[in-house]
């Protein structure tokens, strides 16, 4: 049995899956199996995978049920007790699994293991995620406050984490009812009850642009986490409350832009405005027409490699 299972959900990624698999197969740590779940792709994704000859690869094809169900299916099929995830259009540097395994062996019994990652916007704009409290070169250890550390950049990116299979099963995996923020939902559930181990060495490249990303689909076709099931936990954890309020603000703005005002109000009503920056509070209050103009301008700036965030 391999030490680690790599789970890759695959849906219409014929142009990127070969490069993603190349990065997985060229890891310095080699004792792993690869579980690819073809989630009802309608392009040649499965054909591309089938041309790659590697005994470590197992390809399963299912009806299209979404990324949560695909990941859960991959976890079910995994033979190893330790599982890493990568999306079919992201990229691992050769040291990625080696870093995760080192974390796992050095800090056992954590709920989540994560490495740092860089955000690829274009060939001229690649931004490493920065975590101020853990910015020393090659820092690794157990994170003091996962939610405080994740306010600007997420400390847990799906393509940069590994988890024990038992932890995934005990937390009921990814919620198949969600197709946006399903990973965020799971990391909240795990980090609210268990330690998180982190290594700040960048070992993953996350691509913001790519075909068939659920984040690019219309808001009203997405299923977001409601974030209202943590009332008890966040009442006793101010940093968790602040973290959740940032995402509630993000979700509220998305629904306001989509003219879904009841859902906008649902998220807004859960927010303690003291947890938001002045900029975010102003954005929440803007008339929809002005908000749409500003959003279009934000997208224009992003194409010019100028990034603007509501989080700071």
């Amino acid at each position: 049995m391999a030490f680690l299972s790599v789970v890759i959900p695959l849906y219409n990624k014929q142009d990127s899956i070969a490069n993603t698999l190349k990065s997985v197969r060229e890891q310095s740590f080699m004792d792993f199996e690869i579980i690819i779940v073809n989630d009802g792709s309608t392009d040649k994704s499965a054909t591309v995978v089938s041309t790659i000859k590697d005994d470590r690869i197992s390809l399963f094809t299912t009806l299209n049920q979404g990324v949560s169900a695909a990941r859960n299916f991959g976890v079910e099929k995994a033979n190893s007790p330790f599982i890493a995830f990568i999306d079919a259009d992201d990229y691992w540097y050769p040291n990625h699994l080696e870093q995760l395994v080192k974390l796992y062996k050095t800090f056992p019994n954590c709920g989540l293991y994560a490495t740092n990652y860089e955000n690829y916007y274009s060939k001229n704009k690649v931004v490493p995620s920065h975590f101020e409290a853990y910015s020393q070169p090659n820092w690794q250890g157990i994170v003091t406050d996962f939610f405080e550390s994740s306010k600007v950049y997420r400390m847990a990116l799906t393509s940069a984490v590994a988890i024990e299979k038992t932890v995934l099963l005990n937390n009921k995996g990814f919620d198949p009812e969600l197709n946006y923020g399903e990973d965020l939902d799971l990391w909240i559930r795990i980090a609210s009850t268990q330690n998180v181990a982190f290594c700040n060495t960048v070992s993953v490249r996350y691509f913001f642009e790519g075909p068939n990303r659920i984040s690019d689909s219309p808001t009203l076709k997405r299923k977001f986490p409601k974030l209202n099931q943590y009332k008890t936990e966040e009442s006793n954890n101010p940093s968790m409350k602040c973290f959740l309020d940032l995402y509630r603000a993000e979700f509220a703005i998305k629904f306001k832009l989509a003219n879904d005002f009841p859902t906008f109000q649902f998220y807004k009503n859960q927010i303690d405005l003291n947890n938001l920056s002045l900029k975010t509070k102003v954005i929440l209050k803007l008339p929809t027409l002005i908000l749409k103009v500003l959003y279009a301008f934000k997208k224009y700036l992003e194409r010019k490699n100028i990034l603007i965030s509501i989080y700071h």
Side-chain angles (χ1 to χ4, degrees):
M1 180 176 68
F3 183 87
L4 182 147
S5 296
V6 177
V7 171
I8 307 176
L10 178 64
Y11 178 72
N12 288 0
K13 300 290 185 181
Q14 64 180 24
D15 295 331
S16 60
I17 182 59
N19 191 54
T20 296
L21 275 175
K22 182 175 185 291
S23 77
V24 174
R25 296 168 66 221
E26 293 181 350
Q27 291 294 296
S28 56
F29 178 86
M30 300 290 287
D31 187 14
F32 59 84
E33 64 173 357
I34 304 171
I35 308 293
I36 301 175
V37 183
N38 176 32
D39 185 33
S41 294
T42 57
D43 67 356
K44 297 180 179 179
S45 293
T47 302
V48 172
V49 172
S50 66
T51 64
I52 299 172
K53 304 305 178 185
D54 191 321
D55 292 339
R56 294 172 296 181
I57 296 176
S58 296
L59 174 64
F60 300 90
T61 295
T62 64
L63 296 176
N64 178 249
Q65 299 180 71
V67 67
S68 292
R71 290 191 186 118
N72 290 342
F73 184 90
V75 170
E76 177 186 335
K77 295 297 181 181
N79 295 302
S80 306
F82 194 46
I83 297 175
F85 297 95
I86 183 170
D87 287 344
D89 50 6
D90 289 334
Y91 181 88
W92 284 347
Y93 288 107
N95 63 331
H96 177 63
L97 290 182
E98 182 178 352
Q99 295 288 352
L100 285 174
V101 171
K102 183 179 178 181
L103 271 182
Y104 182 54
K105 291 182 175 180
T106 306
F107 305 99
N109 303 317
C110 288
L112 190 62
Y113 299 85
T115 69
N116 203 352
Y117 56 95
E118 61 187 17
N119 305 278
Y120 182 94
Y121 298 92
S122 71
K123 63 180 180 180
N124 297 318
K125 193 72 172 181
V126 180
V127 181
S129 297
H130 180 73
F131 303 94
E132 185 62 37
Y134 310 103
S135 59
Q136 304 96 320
N138 302 314
W139 187 93
Q140 65 172 15
I142 295 177
V143 175
T144 303
D145 190 330
F146 173 84
F147 297 107
E148 176 67 27
S149 299
S150 299
K151 287 180 180 178
V152 178
Y153 294 101
R154 280 198 206 176
M155 184 161 272
L157 176 79
T158 305
S159 291
V161 303
I163 313 172
E164 285 188 286
K165 186 172 182 176
T166 54
V167 172
L168 286 163
L169 296 178
N170 289 341
N171 284 276
K172 299 181 181 180
F174 297 90
D175 186 343
E177 295 299 316
L178 304 177
N179 63 7
Y180 186 88
E182 75 291 333
D183 48 355
L184 171 69
D185 170 72
L186 179 56
W187 310 150
I188 292 170
R189 282 186 271 134
I190 294 174
S192 63
T193 60
Q194 294 182 262
N195 286 331
V196 175
F198 177 72
C199 173
N200 80 342
T201 302
V202 171
S203 61
V204 177
R205 172 168 284 189
Y206 170 67
F207 287 88
F208 266 81
E209 300 296 331
N212 304 307
R213 280 193 178 272
I214 189 66
S215 57
D216 294 329
S217 62
T219 294
L220 299 184
K221 291 186 177 181
R222 307 176 193 170
K223 296 178 181 177
F224 289 67
K226 294 185 180 298
L227 302 180
N228 63 347
Q229 66 268 48
Y230 305 107
K231 291 299 183 183
T232 301
E233 293 91 335
E234 61 186 308
S235 67
N236 298 314
N237 188 335
S239 61
M240 181 182 185
K241 169 64 174 169
C242 184
F243 172 85
L244 291 172
D245 283 349
L246 291 173
Y247 279 95
R248 288 169 178 140
E250 178 190 325
F251 295 171
I253 291 167
K254 288 181 184 296
F255 281 98
K256 192 172 190 179
L257 285 165
N259 297 315
D260 182 342
F261 299 106
T263 307
F264 161 75
Q265 205 63 49
F266 169 80
Y267 285 109
K268 183 175 180 294
N269 288 345
Q270 298 181 59
I271 298 171
D272 179 350
L273 294 177
N274 292 319
N275 286 328
L276 304 184
S277 67
L278 176 61
K279 176 173 66 175
T280 306
K281 286 186 277 192
V282 169
I283 291 172
L284 280 172
K285 291 182 177 180
L286 287 175
T288 304
L289 181 59
I290 295 176
L291 184 60
K292 288 182 177 180
V293 171
L294 288 177
Y295 182 75
F297 183 60
K298 175 179 180 290
K299 288 297 185 181
Y300 168 78
L301 291 177
E302 287 176 355
R303 291 193 293 270
K304 300 294 183 180
N305 294 321
I306 300 172
L307 308 179
I308 298 176
S309 170
I310 70 166
Y311 298 121
H312 52 87

